[in-house]
Amino acid sequence: MTGRPSGNVLSQRALNRALLERQLLLRREGRSAAATVEHLVALQAQNPRDPYVALWTRLEDFDPHELGRLVAERQVVRTPLLRTTLHLVGAGDCLAMTPLLRPVLERGFWTGSPFGRKLKGADIDAVLAAGLALLDERPRTTAQLRQLLGERWPGYDASSLAYAVHYLVPLVQTPPRGVWGAKGLPTWATTEQWLGRPFDPAPSIDRLVLRYLAAFGPATVMDVQAWSGLTRLREVAERLRPGLRCFRDEAGRELLDLPQAPRPDPETPAPPRFLPEYDNVVLGHADRSRIAAGAAERWPTDDLHWSPLLVDGFVGGVWRAKQDRRSATLVVGPFDALPEPATVEEEATRLLEFLAPEAGRRTIKIVMR
């Protein structure tokens, strides 16, 4: 492309409201858990609780056991996917997306982690074949893979051997981990064996990009690449261009979008929303200013696993829950004075009831950061 991108200019606030609308964060929706996971393409899941909070904040009367059943019944799975991180995704989407995103995990192993460097000189094909054989016998934990592979290749770092399988063999993390109310060590099975179906032989990168735009647009090509971890998507964008609508952001960057996708009035009210620790609504763009402008500079540095709080549609604070056998406390840390503190406290109360329904005492603390 040459010259200045054409199209109407969308302000930061216009992009924010478009994103919130598509992410079901302007109002709670009456959708099923399965339909919502499909609409959002994939939910960050390295913290097992995160997909549940993500759906609670988006859906009316969300029942966490509905999602838990989907995990237990293999209708959704937790698998290393976008940006090499663990995501929860529908079974069919897993079989279609995994082949498309294999280059991301391969690059992550060889250049984005220390593991590939520690296996220089090893017969990686033999390591992967051994890992597959072990997992064909039964699902195994990372620790078990580390021990068994380390015994076979004693001259190499055992953790790196296990992570070679983790990155380079398509795997899913099996229940009970990831099921609401259940606990379990991270345990792995091969994707095709767990789902009982083969991968899509002809997955469509065009369709994946269009689904991204439906849930995260309008967006730049760099945004799609940041979300997925893929590179060189300009060719895909050019192929799709005739069917897309073009805009510009305030910096002049071209934004691509589906013609009929919702773009609400920038002054549309946005209620407070408590997001999970990791949510692609915050992490799914190269330029995160449409939802997290200035948030990084004000984020707590105490390593207490804070999660984002949306105030007027933008990350305007943090929260975390503390729980013991008898009580639960939700600490809210707004960055600035809340315009409607009672509304935030009401939402916090509902969230704590969701997270700790059996707690004898529940407390909300709002403390300025």
Side-chain angles (χ1 to χ4, degrees), residues 169-186:
V169 176
L171 303 179
V172 299
Q173 204 174 90
T174 63
R177 190 169 178 84
V179 174
W180 184 257
K183 295 181 179 180
L185 293 173

Side-chain angles (χ1 to χ4, degrees), residues 42-224:
L43 301 177
Q44 294 237 187
Q46 56 264 57
N47 181 337
R49 187 183 72 179
D50 278 2
Y52 293 90
V53 176
L55 295 190
W56 173 86
T57 206
R58 289 169 165 91
L59 300 180
E60 292 179 348
D61 302 319
F62 170 61
D63 178 3
H65 297 291
E66 178 188 358
L67 180 58
R69 286 191 294 271
L70 294 177
V71 175
E73 295 170 3
R74 311 187 189 193
Q75 296 182 54
V76 300
V77 292
R78 302 168 71 244
T79 181
L81 207 59
L82 303 166
R83 307 181 302 279
T84 75
T85 56
L86 200 67
H87 277 74
L88 183 139
V89 64
D93 282 339
C94 176
L95 295 170
M97 292 172 65
T98 296
L100 294 172
L101 295 167
R102 291 316 300 166
V104 178
L105 281 98
E106 290 170 1
R107 186 176 70 248
F109 177 74
W110 290 114
T111 65
S113 78
F115 307 121
R117 295 190 296 273
K118 292 181 179 180
L119 296 184
K120 186 177 181 180
D123 185 343
I124 293 298
D125 289 340
V127 172
L128 300 184
L132 271 171
L134 290 170
L135 292 170
D136 281 342
E137 293 176 359
R138 63 178 181 273
R140 296 182 187 271
T141 66
T142 301
Q144 290 169 337
L145 286 173
R146 183 170 58 243
Q147 177 183 346
L148 294 168
L149 294 173
E151 291 171 354
R152 182 163 175 180
W153 281 274
Y156 292 95
D157 178 68
S159 291
S160 296
L161 293 168
Y163 276 102
V165 177
H166 182 123
Y167 276 87
L168 303 178
V169 176
L171 303 179
V172 299
Q173 204 174 90
T174 63
R177 190 169 178 84
V179 174
W180 184 257
K183 295 181 179 180
L185 293 173
T187 305
W188 304 93
T190 59
T191 302
E192 289 181 312
Q193 184 183 63
W194 183 255
L195 292 178
R197 290 180 281 164
F199 290 112
D200 187 335
S204 171
I205 186 62
D206 292 21
R207 182 171 181 268
L208 183 62
V209 170
L210 292 173
R211 289 183 64 192
Y212 170 81
L213 292 176
F216 294 87
T220 67
V221 174
M222 293 297 292
D223 289 330
V224 190

